[in-house]
Coordinates of all heavy atoms in Angstrom, one line a residue:
M1 N 0.8 -1.2 0.0 CA 0.0 0.0 0.0 C 0.9 1.2 0.0 O 2.0 1.3 0.6 CB -0.9 0.0 1.2 CG -1.9 -1.2 1.2 SD -2.9 -1.2 -0.2 CE -4.5 -0.9 0.6
L2 N 0.4 2.3 -0.6 CA 1.1 3.5 -0.7 C 0.8 4.4 0.4 O -0.3 4.5 0.9 CB 0.8 4.2 -2.0 CG 0.9 3.4 -3.3 CD1 0.3 4.1 -4.5 CD2 2.4 3.1 -3.6
D3 N 1.8 5.1 0.9 CA 1.6 6.0 2.1 C 1.6 7.5 1.7 O 1.2 8.3 2.5 CB 2.6 5.7 3.2 CG 4.0 5.9 2.8 OD1 4.3 6.1 1.6 OD2 4.9 5.8 3.7
R4 N 2.1 7.8 0.5 CA 2.1 9.2 0.1 C 1.5 9.3 -1.3 O 1.8 8.4 -2.2 CB 3.5 9.8 0.1 CG 4.1 10.1 1.4 CD 5.5 10.5 1.4 NE 5.6 11.8 0.7 CZ 6.8 12.4 0.5 NH1 7.9 11.8 0.8 NH2 6.9 13.6 -0.1
M5 N 0.7 10.3 -1.6 CA 0.2 10.5 -2.9 C 1.3 10.9 -3.9 O 2.3 11.6 -3.5 CB -0.9 11.6 -2.9 CG -2.1 11.2 -2.1 SD -3.3 12.5 -1.9 CE -4.0 12.4 -3.6
Y6 N 1.1 10.6 -5.1 CA 2.1 10.9 -6.1 C 2.4 12.4 -6.2 O 3.5 12.9 -6.2 CB 1.7 10.4 -7.5 CG 2.6 10.8 -8.6 CD1 3.8 10.2 -8.7 CD2 2.2 11.7 -9.6 CE1 4.7 10.5 -9.7 CE2 3.1 12.0 -10.6 CZ 4.3 11.4 -10.7 OH 5.2 11.7 -11.7
K7 N 1.3 13.2 -6.0 CA 1.5 14.7 -6.1 C 2.2 15.3 -4.9 O 2.6 16.4 -4.9 CB 0.1 15.3 -6.3 CG -0.8 15.3 -5.1 CD -2.1 16.0 -5.3 CE -2.9 16.1 -4.1 NZ -4.1 16.9 -4.3
E8 N 2.4 14.5 -3.8 CA 3.0 15.0 -2.6 C 4.6 14.9 -2.8 O 5.3 15.5 -1.9 CB 2.6 14.2 -1.4 CG 1.1 14.4 -1.0 CD 0.7 13.5 0.1 OE1 1.4 12.6 0.5 OE2 -0.4 13.8 0.6
Y9 N 5.1 14.2 -3.8 CA 6.5 14.2 -4.0 C 6.9 15.4 -4.9 O 6.2 15.7 -5.8 CB 6.9 12.9 -4.8 CG 6.8 11.7 -3.9 CD1 5.7 10.9 -3.9 CD2 7.9 11.3 -3.1 CE1 5.6 9.7 -3.2 CE2 7.8 10.1 -2.4 CZ 6.6 9.4 -2.4 OH 6.6 8.2 -1.6
P10 N 8.0 16.0 -4.7 CA 8.5 17.0 -5.6 C 8.7 16.4 -7.0 O 9.0 15.2 -7.1 CB 9.9 17.5 -5.0 CG 9.8 17.1 -3.5 CD 8.9 15.9 -3.5
R11 N 8.6 17.2 -8.0 CA 8.7 16.6 -9.4 C 10.0 15.9 -9.6 O 11.1 16.4 -9.3 CB 8.6 17.8 -10.4 CG 8.6 17.3 -11.8 CD 8.5 18.5 -12.8 NE 7.2 19.1 -12.6 CZ 6.1 18.8 -13.4 NH1 6.2 17.9 -14.3 NH2 5.0 19.5 -13.2
G12 N 9.9 14.6 -10.0 CA 11.0 13.8 -10.3 C 11.6 13.1 -9.1 O 12.6 12.3 -9.3
S13 N 11.0 13.2 -7.9 CA 11.6 12.5 -6.8 C 10.7 11.4 -6.2 O 11.1 10.8 -5.2 CB 11.8 13.5 -5.6 OG 10.6 14.0 -5.1
A14 N 9.6 11.1 -6.9 CA 8.8 9.9 -6.5 C 9.6 8.6 -6.7 O 10.5 8.6 -7.6 CB 7.5 9.9 -7.2
P15 N 9.2 7.6 -6.0 CA 9.9 6.3 -6.3 C 9.7 5.9 -7.8 O 8.7 6.2 -8.4 CB 9.2 5.3 -5.4 CG 8.6 6.1 -4.3 CD 8.3 7.5 -4.9
P16 N 10.7 5.2 -8.3 CA 10.7 4.8 -9.7 C 9.4 4.1 -10.2 O 8.8 4.4 -11.2 CB 11.9 3.9 -9.9 CG 12.8 4.3 -8.8 CD 12.0 4.7 -7.7
A17 N 8.9 3.2 -9.3 CA 7.7 2.5 -9.7 C 6.5 3.4 -9.8 O 5.6 3.3 -10.6 CB 7.4 1.4 -8.6
M18 N 6.4 4.5 -8.9 CA 5.3 5.4 -9.0 C 5.4 6.3 -10.2 O 4.4 6.6 -10.8 CB 5.3 6.3 -7.7 CG 4.7 5.6 -6.5 SD 4.6 6.7 -5.1 CE 3.0 7.4 -5.4
E19 N 6.6 6.7 -10.5 CA 6.9 7.5 -11.7 C 6.4 6.7 -13.0 O 5.8 7.3 -13.9 CB 8.3 7.9 -11.9 CG 8.8 8.9 -10.9 CD 8.3 10.3 -11.1 OE1 7.7 10.6 -12.1 OE2 8.6 11.2 -10.3
A20 N 6.8 5.4 -13.0 CA 6.4 4.6 -14.1 C 4.9 4.5 -14.2 O 4.3 4.6 -15.3 CB 7.1 3.2 -14.0
M21 N 4.2 4.2 -13.1 CA 2.8 4.1 -13.1 C 2.1 5.4 -13.5 O 1.1 5.4 -14.3 CB 2.3 3.7 -11.7 CG 0.7 3.5 -11.7 SD 0.1 2.3 -12.8 CE 0.5 0.8 -12.1
A22 N 2.6 6.5 -13.0 CA 2.0 7.8 -13.4 C 2.1 8.0 -14.9 O 1.2 8.5 -15.6 CB 2.7 8.9 -12.7
G23 N 3.2 7.6 -15.5 CA 3.4 7.8 -16.9 C 2.5 6.9 -17.7 O 1.9 7.3 -18.7
K24 N 2.2 5.7 -17.2 CA 1.3 4.8 -17.9 C -0.1 5.3 -17.8 O -0.9 5.2 -18.8 CB 1.4 3.4 -17.3 CG 2.6 2.6 -17.6 CD 2.7 1.3 -16.9 CE 4.0 0.6 -17.2 NZ 4.1 -0.7 -16.5
I25 N -0.5 5.8 -16.7 CA -1.9 6.4 -16.6 C -2.0 7.6 -17.5 O -3.0 7.7 -18.2 CB -2.1 6.8 -15.1 CG1 -2.2 5.6 -14.2 CG2 -3.5 7.5 -15.0 CD1 -2.2 5.9 -12.7
R26 N -1.0 8.5 -17.5 CA -1.1 9.7 -18.4 C -1.1 9.3 -19.9 O -1.7 10.0 -20.7 CB 0.1 10.6 -18.1 CG -0.1 11.5 -16.9 CD 1.0 12.6 -16.9 NE 1.6 12.6 -15.6 CZ 2.7 12.0 -15.3 NH1 3.5 11.5 -16.2 NH2 3.2 12.1 -14.0
A27 N -0.5 8.2 -20.2 CA -0.4 7.8 -21.6 C -1.7 7.1 -22.1 O -1.9 7.1 -23.3 CB 0.8 6.8 -21.8
A28 N -2.5 6.7 -21.2 CA -3.8 6.0 -21.6 C -4.9 6.9 -22.0 O -5.0 8.0 -21.5 CB -4.2 5.1 -20.5
D29 N -5.7 6.5 -22.9 CA -6.9 7.3 -23.3 C -8.1 7.1 -22.5 O -9.0 7.9 -22.3 CB -7.2 7.0 -24.8 CG -6.1 7.5 -25.8 OD1 -5.5 8.5 -25.5 OD2 -5.9 6.8 -26.8
A30 N -8.2 5.9 -21.9 CA -9.4 5.5 -21.1 C -9.0 4.2 -20.3 O -7.9 3.6 -20.5 CB -10.6 5.1 -22.0
F31 N -9.9 3.9 -19.4 CA -9.6 2.8 -18.5 C -10.8 1.9 -18.3 O -11.9 2.4 -18.3 CB -9.2 3.3 -17.1 CG -8.0 4.1 -17.1 CD1 -8.1 5.5 -17.2 CD2 -6.7 3.5 -17.0 CE1 -7.0 6.3 -17.2 CE2 -5.6 4.3 -17.1 CZ -5.7 5.7 -17.2
I32 N -10.6 0.6 -18.2 CA -11.7 -0.3 -17.8 C -11.1 -1.1 -16.6 O -10.1 -1.8 -16.8 CB -12.1 -1.3 -18.9 CG1 -12.6 -0.5 -20.1 CG2 -13.1 -2.3 -18.4 CD1 -13.0 -1.4 -21.3
F33 N -11.7 -1.0 -15.5 CA -11.3 -1.7 -14.3 C -12.1 -3.0 -14.2 O -13.4 -2.9 -14.1 CB -11.4 -0.9 -13.0 CG -10.6 0.4 -13.0 CD1 -11.1 1.6 -13.4 CD2 -9.2 0.3 -12.7 CE1 -10.3 2.7 -13.4 CE2 -8.4 1.4 -12.7 CZ -9.0 2.6 -13.0
V34 N -11.5 -4.1 -14.1 CA -12.3 -5.4 -13.9 C -12.0 -5.8 -12.5 O -10.8 -6.1 -12.2 CB -11.8 -6.5 -14.9 CG1 -12.6 -7.8 -14.7 CG2 -12.1 -6.0 -16.4
V35 N -13.0 -5.8 -11.7 CA -12.7 -6.0 -10.2 C -13.7 -7.0 -9.6 O -14.8 -7.2 -10.1 CB -12.9 -4.7 -9.4 CG1 -11.9 -3.6 -9.9 CG2 -14.3 -4.1 -9.6
G36 N -13.2 -7.7 -8.6 CA -14.0 -8.6 -7.8 C -14.3 -7.9 -6.5 O -13.7 -6.9 -6.1
E37 N -15.3 -8.5 -5.8 CA -15.7 -7.9 -4.6 C -14.8 -8.3 -3.5 O -14.2 -9.4 -3.5 CB -17.1 -8.4 -4.2 CG -17.7 -7.9 -3.0 CD -19.1 -8.4 -2.7 OE1 -19.8 -8.8 -3.7 OE2 -19.5 -8.5 -1.5
Y38 N -14.5 -7.4 -2.5 CA -13.7 -7.7 -1.4 C -14.4 -7.2 -0.1 O -14.5 -6.0 0.1 CB -12.3 -7.1 -1.5 CG -11.4 -7.3 -0.4 CD1 -10.7 -8.5 -0.2 CD2 -11.3 -6.4 0.6 CE1 -9.8 -8.7 0.8 CE2 -10.4 -6.6 1.7 CZ -9.7 -7.8 1.8 OH -8.9 -8.0 2.9
N39 N -14.9 -8.1 0.7 CA -15.7 -7.8 1.9 C -16.7 -6.7 1.6 O -16.8 -5.7 2.3 CB -14.7 -7.2 3.0 CG -13.9 -8.4 3.6 OD1 -14.2 -9.5 3.5 ND2 -12.7 -8.0 4.2
W40 N -17.5 -7.0 0.6 CA -18.7 -6.1 0.3 C -18.2 -4.8 -0.3 O -18.9 -3.8 -0.2 CB -19.6 -5.8 1.5 CG -20.4 -7.0 1.8 CD1 -20.0 -8.3 2.1 CD2 -21.8 -7.0 1.9 NE1 -21.0 -9.1 2.4 CE2 -22.2 -8.3 2.3 CE3 -22.8 -6.1 1.8 CZ2 -23.5 -8.7 2.5 CZ3 -24.1 -6.5 2.0 CH2 -24.4 -7.8 2.4
G41 N -17.0 -4.7 -0.9 CA -16.6 -3.4 -1.4 C -15.5 -3.6 -2.4 O -15.2 -4.7 -2.9
M42 N -14.9 -2.4 -2.8 CA -13.8 -2.4 -3.7 C -12.5 -3.0 -3.2 O -12.3 -2.9 -2.0 CB -13.6 -0.9 -4.1 CG -12.5 -0.8 -5.2 SD -12.1 1.0 -5.5 CE -13.6 1.6 -6.1
Q43 N -11.7 -3.6 -4.0 CA -10.5 -4.2 -3.5 C -9.6 -3.1 -3.1 O -9.5 -2.0 -3.7 CB -9.8 -5.0 -4.7 CG -10.6 -6.2 -5.1 CD -10.0 -6.9 -6.3 OE1 -9.0 -6.5 -6.8 NE2 -10.6 -8.0 -6.7
P44 N -8.9 -3.3 -1.9 CA -8.1 -2.2 -1.4 C -7.0 -1.7 -2.3 O -6.7 -0.5 -2.3 CB -7.5 -2.8 -0.1 CG -8.4 -4.0 0.2 CD -8.9 -4.5 -1.1
G45 N -6.4 -2.6 -3.0 CA -5.3 -2.1 -3.9 C -5.8 -1.2 -5.0 O -5.1 -0.2 -5.3
L46 N -7.0 -1.4 -5.6 CA -7.6 -0.5 -6.6 C -7.9 0.8 -5.9 O -7.7 1.8 -6.5 CB -8.8 -1.2 -7.2 CG -9.5 -0.3 -8.2 CD1 -8.6 0.1 -9.4 CD2 -10.7 -1.0 -8.8
K47 N -8.5 0.8 -4.8 CA -8.9 2.0 -4.1 C -7.6 2.8 -3.8 O -7.6 4.0 -4.0 CB -9.6 1.7 -2.8 CG -10.0 2.9 -1.9 CD -11.1 3.6 -2.5 CE -11.7 4.6 -1.5 NZ -11.6 6.0 -2.1
N48 N -6.6 2.2 -3.3 CA -5.3 2.9 -3.1 C -4.7 3.5 -4.4 O -4.3 4.6 -4.4 CB -4.3 1.9 -2.4 CG -3.2 2.5 -1.7 OD1 -2.4 3.1 -2.3 ND2 -3.2 2.3 -0.4
L49 N -4.8 2.7 -5.4 CA -4.2 3.2 -6.7 C -5.0 4.4 -7.2 O -4.4 5.4 -7.6 CB -4.3 2.1 -7.8 CG -3.9 2.5 -9.2 CD1 -2.4 2.6 -9.2 CD2 -4.3 1.4 -10.1
T50 N -6.3 4.4 -7.2 CA -7.1 5.5 -7.6 C -7.0 6.7 -6.7 O -7.0 7.9 -7.2 CB -8.6 5.1 -7.8 OG1 -9.1 4.7 -6.6 CG2 -8.8 4.1 -8.9
D51 N -6.8 6.5 -5.5 CA -6.6 7.6 -4.5 C -5.2 8.3 -4.6 O -5.1 9.5 -4.4 CB -6.8 7.2 -3.1 CG -8.3 6.9 -2.7 OD1 -9.1 7.3 -3.5 OD2 -8.5 6.3 -1.7
H52 N -4.2 7.6 -5.0 CA -2.9 8.1 -4.9 C -2.4 8.8 -6.2 O -1.4 9.4 -6.3 CB -1.9 7.1 -4.5 CG -1.9 6.8 -3.0 ND1 -2.9 6.2 -2.4 CD2 -1.1 7.3 -2.1 CE1 -2.7 6.2 -1.1 NE2 -1.6 6.8 -0.9
F53 N -3.2 8.6 -7.3 CA -2.8 9.2 -8.6 C -4.1 10.0 -9.0 O -4.8 9.6 -9.9 CB -2.5 8.2 -9.6 CG -1.2 7.4 -9.4 CD1 -1.2 6.2 -8.7 CD2 0.0 8.0 -9.8 CE1 -0.1 5.5 -8.4 CE2 1.2 7.3 -9.5 CZ 1.1 6.1 -8.8
L54 N -4.3 11.2 -8.4 CA -5.5 11.9 -8.7 C -5.5 12.6 -10.1 O -6.3 12.4 -10.9 CB -5.8 12.9 -7.6 CG -6.2 12.3 -6.2 CD1 -6.4 13.4 -5.2 CD2 -7.4 11.4 -6.3
E55 N -4.6 13.6 -10.2 CA -4.6 14.4 -11.4 C -4.3 13.5 -12.7 O -4.7 13.9 -13.8 CB -3.5 15.5 -11.4 CG -3.9 16.6 -10.4 CD -3.5 16.3 -9.0 OE1 -2.9 15.3 -8.7 OE2 -3.8 17.2 -8.1
E56 N -3.6 12.4 -12.5 CA -3.3 11.5 -13.7 C -4.6 10.9 -14.3 O -4.6 10.6 -15.5 CB -2.3 10.4 -13.3 CG -0.9 10.9 -13.0 CD -0.8 11.7 -11.8 OE1 -1.5 11.5 -10.8 OE2 0.1 12.6 -11.8
W57 N -5.6 10.8 -13.5 CA -6.9 10.2 -14.0 C -7.8 11.3 -14.7 O -8.7 10.9 -15.4 CB -7.7 9.6 -12.9 CG -7.1 8.5 -12.1 CD1 -6.7 8.6 -10.8 CD2 -6.7 7.2 -12.5 NE1 -6.1 7.5 -10.4 CE2 -6.1 6.6 -11.4 CE3 -6.9 6.5 -13.7 CZ2 -5.7 5.3 -11.4 CZ3 -6.4 5.2 -13.7 CH2 -5.8 4.6 -12.6
F58 N -7.5 12.5 -14.5 CA -8.4 13.6 -14.9 C -8.6 13.5 -16.4 O -7.7 13.3 -17.2 CB -7.9 15.0 -14.6 CG -8.0 15.3 -13.1 CD1 -7.4 16.5 -12.6 CD2 -8.6 14.5 -12.2 CE1 -7.5 16.8 -11.3 CE2 -8.7 14.8 -10.9 CZ -8.1 16.0 -10.4
W59 N -9.9 13.8 -16.9 CA -10.3 13.8 -18.3 C -10.1 12.6 -19.0 O -9.9 12.6 -20.2 CB -9.6 15.0 -19.0 CG -9.8 16.3 -18.2 CD1 -8.9 17.0 -17.5 CD2 -11.1 17.0 -18.0 NE1 -9.5 18.1 -16.9 CE2 -10.8 18.1 -17.2 CE3 -12.4 16.8 -18.5 CZ2 -11.8 19.0 -16.8 CZ3 -13.3 17.7 -18.1 CH2 -13.0 18.8 -17.3
R60 N -10.1 11.4 -18.4 CA -10.0 10.1 -19.0 C -11.2 9.3 -18.6 O -11.5 9.1 -17.5 CB -8.7 9.4 -18.6 CG -7.5 10.1 -19.2 CD -6.2 9.5 -18.6 NE -5.1 10.1 -19.2 CZ -4.6 11.3 -18.8 NH1 -5.1 12.0 -17.9 NH2 -3.5 11.8 -19.4
P61 N -12.0 8.9 -19.6 CA -13.2 8.0 -19.3 C -12.8 6.7 -18.6 O -11.7 6.2 -18.9 CB -13.8 7.8 -20.6 CG -12.8 8.1 -21.7 CD -11.8 9.0 -21.0
A62 N -13.6 6.3 -17.7 CA -13.3 5.0 -17.1 C -14.6 4.2 -16.9 O -15.7 4.8 -16.7 CB -12.7 5.3 -15.7
A63 N -14.5 2.9 -16.8 CA -15.6 2.0 -16.6 C -15.2 1.0 -15.6 O -14.0 0.6 -15.5 CB -16.1 1.4 -17.8
I64 N -16.1 0.5 -14.8 CA -15.8 -0.6 -13.8 C -16.7 -1.8 -14.1 O -17.9 -1.6 -14.2 CB -16.1 -0.1 -12.4 CG1 -15.2 1.2 -12.0 CG2 -15.8 -1.2 -11.4 CD1 -15.6 1.8 -10.7
A65 N -16.1 -2.9 -14.3 CA -16.8 -4.1 -14.6 C -16.5 -5.0 -13.4 O -15.4 -5.3 -13.0 CB -16.3 -4.8 -15.8
S66 N -17.7 -5.5 -12.7 CA -17.5 -6.3 -11.5 C -17.9 -7.7 -11.9 O -18.9 -8.0 -12.6 CB -18.5 -5.7 -10.4 OG -18.5 -6.6 -9.3
Y67 N -17.2 -8.7 -11.4 CA -17.5 -10.1 -11.6 C -17.8 -10.9 -10.4 O -17.7 -12.1 -10.3 CB -16.3 -10.8 -12.4 CG -15.0 -10.8 -11.6 CD1 -14.7 -11.8 -10.7 CD2 -14.1 -9.8 -11.8 CE1 -13.5 -11.8 -10.0 CE2 -12.9 -9.8 -11.2 CZ -12.6 -10.8 -10.3 OH -11.4 -10.8 -9.6
S68 N -18.3 -10.2 -9.3 CA -18.5 -10.9 -8.1 C -20.0 -11.2 -7.9 O -20.9 -10.6 -8.6 CB -18.1 -10.0 -6.9 OG -18.8 -8.9 -6.9
A69 N -20.4 -12.0 -7.0 CA -21.8 -12.3 -6.7 C -22.5 -11.1 -6.2 O -23.7 -10.9 -6.4 CB -21.8 -13.4 -5.7
G70 N -21.8 -10.2 -5.6 CA -22.4 -8.9 -5.1 C -22.6 -7.9 -6.1 O -23.3 -6.9 -5.9
G71 N -22.1 -8.1 -7.3 CA -22.3 -7.2 -8.4 C -21.7 -5.8 -8.2 O -20.5 -5.7 -8.0
C72 N -22.6 -4.8 -8.1 CA -22.1 -3.4 -8.0 C -21.4 -3.1 -6.7 O -20.8 -2.0 -6.6 CB -23.2 -2.5 -8.4 SG -24.5 -2.4 -7.2
R73 N -21.6 -3.9 -5.7 CA -20.9 -3.6 -4.4 C -19.4 -3.5 -4.6 O -18.7 -2.7 -4.0 CB -21.2 -4.6 -3.4 CG -22.6 -4.6 -2.8 CD -22.7 -5.5 -1.6 NE -22.1 -6.8 -1.8 CZ -22.8 -8.0 -1.6 NH1 -24.1 -7.9 -1.2 NH2 -22.2 -9.1 -1.8
A74 N -18.8 -4.3 -5.6 CA -17.4 -4.2 -5.8 C -17.0 -3.0 -6.7 O -15.8 -2.7 -6.8 CB -16.9 -5.5 -6.5
S75 N -18.0 -2.4 -7.3 CA -17.6 -1.3 -8.3 C -17.7 0.1 -7.7 O -17.5 1.0 -8.4 CB -18.6 -1.4 -9.5 OG -19.9 -1.2 -9.1
G76 N -17.9 0.2 -6.4 CA -17.8 1.6 -5.9 C -18.6 1.9 -4.6 O -19.6 2.4 -4.7
P77 N -18.0 1.5 -3.5 CA -18.6 1.9 -2.2 C -18.4 3.3 -1.9 O -19.1 3.8 -0.9 CB -18.0 0.9 -1.2 CG -16.6 0.8 -1.8 CD -16.8 0.7 -3.3
A78 N -17.6 4.0 -2.6 CA -17.3 5.4 -2.2 C -18.5 6.3 -2.6 O -19.2 6.0 -3.6 CB -16.1 5.9 -3.0
P79 N -18.8 7.3 -1.8 CA -19.9 8.1 -2.0 C -19.7 8.9 -3.3 O -18.6 9.2 -3.7 CB -20.0 9.1 -0.8 CG -18.9 8.7 0.0 CD -18.1 7.6 -0.5
C80 N -20.8 9.4 -3.9 CA -20.7 10.1 -5.2 C -19.8 11.4 -5.0 O -19.9 12.1 -4.0 CB -22.1 10.6 -5.5 SG -22.2 11.5 -7.0
G81 N -19.0 11.6 -6.0 CA -18.1 12.7 -6.0 C -16.8 12.6 -5.3 O -16.1 13.6 -5.2
T82 N -16.5 11.4 -4.8 CA -15.2 11.3 -4.1 C -14.2 10.5 -5.0 O -14.6 9.9 -5.9 CB -15.3 10.5 -2.8 OG1 -15.8 9.2 -3.1 CG2 -16.3 11.2 -1.8
G83 N -13.0 10.6 -4.7 CA -12.0 10.0 -5.5 C -11.8 10.7 -6.9 O -12.3 11.8 -7.1
P84 N -11.1 10.0 -7.8 CA -10.8 10.6 -9.1 C -12.0 10.7 -10.0 O -12.0 11.4 -11.0 CB -9.7 9.7 -9.6 CG -10.0 8.4 -9.0 CD -10.5 8.7 -7.6
F85 N -13.1 9.9 -9.7 CA -14.2 9.9 -10.6 C -15.4 10.7 -10.1 O -15.7 10.6 -9.0 CB -14.6 8.4 -10.9 CG -13.5 7.5 -11.2 CD1 -13.1 6.6 -10.4 CD2 -12.8 7.7 -12.4 CE1 -12.0 5.8 -10.7 CE2 -11.7 6.9 -12.7 CZ -11.3 5.9 -11.9
P86 N -16.0 11.6 -10.9 CA -17.1 12.4 -10.4 C -18.3 11.7 -9.9 O -18.9 12.1 -9.0 CB -17.4 13.3 -11.6 CG -16.8 12.6 -12.8 CD -15.7 11.8 -12.3
K87 N -18.7 10.6 -10.6 CA -19.8 9.8 -10.1 C -19.6 8.4 -10.4 O -19.0 8.0 -11.3 CB -21.1 10.2 -10.9 CG -21.6 11.5 -10.5 CD -23.0 11.7 -11.2 CE -23.7 13.0 -10.7 NZ -25.0 13.1 -11.3
W88 N -20.1 7.5 -9.5 CA -20.0 6.1 -9.7 C -21.3 5.7 -10.4 O -22.4 6.2 -10.2 CB -20.0 5.4 -8.4 CG -18.7 5.6 -7.6 CD1 -18.5 6.4 -6.6 CD2 -17.5 5.0 -7.9 NE1 -17.2 6.4 -6.2 CE2 -16.5 5.5 -7.0 CE3 -17.0 4.1 -8.8 CZ2 -15.2 5.2 -6.9 CZ3 -15.7 3.7 -8.8 CH2 -14.8 4.3 -7.9
V89 N -21.2 4.8 -11.4 CA -22.3 4.3 -12.1 C -22.8 3.0 -11.5 O -22.0 2.1 -11.4 CB -22.0 4.2 -13.6 CG1 -23.1 3.7 -14.4 CG2 -21.5 5.5 -14.2
W90 N -24.0 2.9 -11.2 CA -24.6 1.7 -10.6 C -25.6 1.1 -11.6 O -26.4 1.8 -12.1 CB -25.3 2.0 -9.3 CG -24.4 2.6 -8.3 CD1 -24.2 3.9 -8.1 CD2 -23.7 1.9 -7.3 NE1 -23.3 4.0 -7.1 CE2 -23.0 2.8 -6.5 CE3 -23.6 0.5 -7.0 CZ2 -22.2 2.5 -5.5 CZ3 -22.8 0.2 -5.9 CH2 -22.1 1.1 -5.2
W91 N -25.4 -0.2 -11.9 CA -26.4 -0.8 -12.8 C -26.6 -2.2 -12.3 O -25.9 -2.8 -11.5 CB -25.9 -0.8 -14.2 CG -24.6 -1.4 -14.4 CD1 -24.3 -2.8 -14.6 CD2 -23.3 -0.8 -14.5 NE1 -23.0 -3.0 -14.8 CE2 -22.3 -1.8 -14.7 CE3 -22.9 0.5 -14.3 CZ2 -21.0 -1.5 -14.7 CZ3 -21.6 0.8 -14.4 CH2 -20.6 -0.2 -14.6

């Protein structure tokens, strides 16, 4: 788990793995997250990833596909308007 957000590091001083991930996120046009349910919610690693790279997600469309028995519980327990995505889509 990450303990500091990417934007909290001075430019060029983040750990190499974080710099590489930020570059991959910035280079992508859109995202599809395929997630399973974890204790009635989103998997902690995905939540941590989306929380620690905020600006890198901006203006990129994203979708969440859940494959668990709980369905949409895995796709977004966060309240509307939190995290990098303006709204969670429930279906």
